[in-house]
Amino acid sequence: MTLWGTWCPPCVSEVPTFNDLQRRYGDDGLVIIGIAFEPDSVEAVRVVRLRDFAKEKKIEYLVLD
């Protein structure tokens, strides 16, 4: 599990590493879960932001908000 935000440069830079780990070890049972912390209190805005970000960065693991 990782806590992260689209606004956090170190968090964003970790995406390729987590993608790689998920690809390498997913068949062995590894499940990476990214729990996003977004400061916007409007749920619809958070959902769209996270969906667009995950698509843009090609996130290959589960993202929750």
Side-chain angles (χ1 to χ4, degrees):
M1 175 181 69
T2 177
L3 298 174
W4 67 283
T6 59
W7 47 268
C8 170
C11 301
V12 173
S13 70
E14 292 176 335
V15 169
T17 300
F18 288 136
N19 279 341
D20 183 52
L21 289 170
Q22 187 62 62
R23 278 192 304 273
R24 281 187 189 187
Y25 303 109
D27 289 342
D28 295 329
L30 176 68
V31 178
I32 295 177
I33 302 171
I35 300 177
F37 175 75
E38 294 297 313
D40 200 305
S41 62
V42 178
E43 182 177 357
V45 173
R46 281 195 325 267
V47 169
V48 170
R49 182 183 302 124
L50 288 172
R51 184 194 65 217
D52 292 348
F53 181 86
K55 187 175 179 179
E56 174 188 328
K57 298 297 182 185
K58 299 178 178 148
I59 293 178
E60 300 175 26
Y61 49 88
L62 182 61
V63 173
L64 304 175
D65 73 270

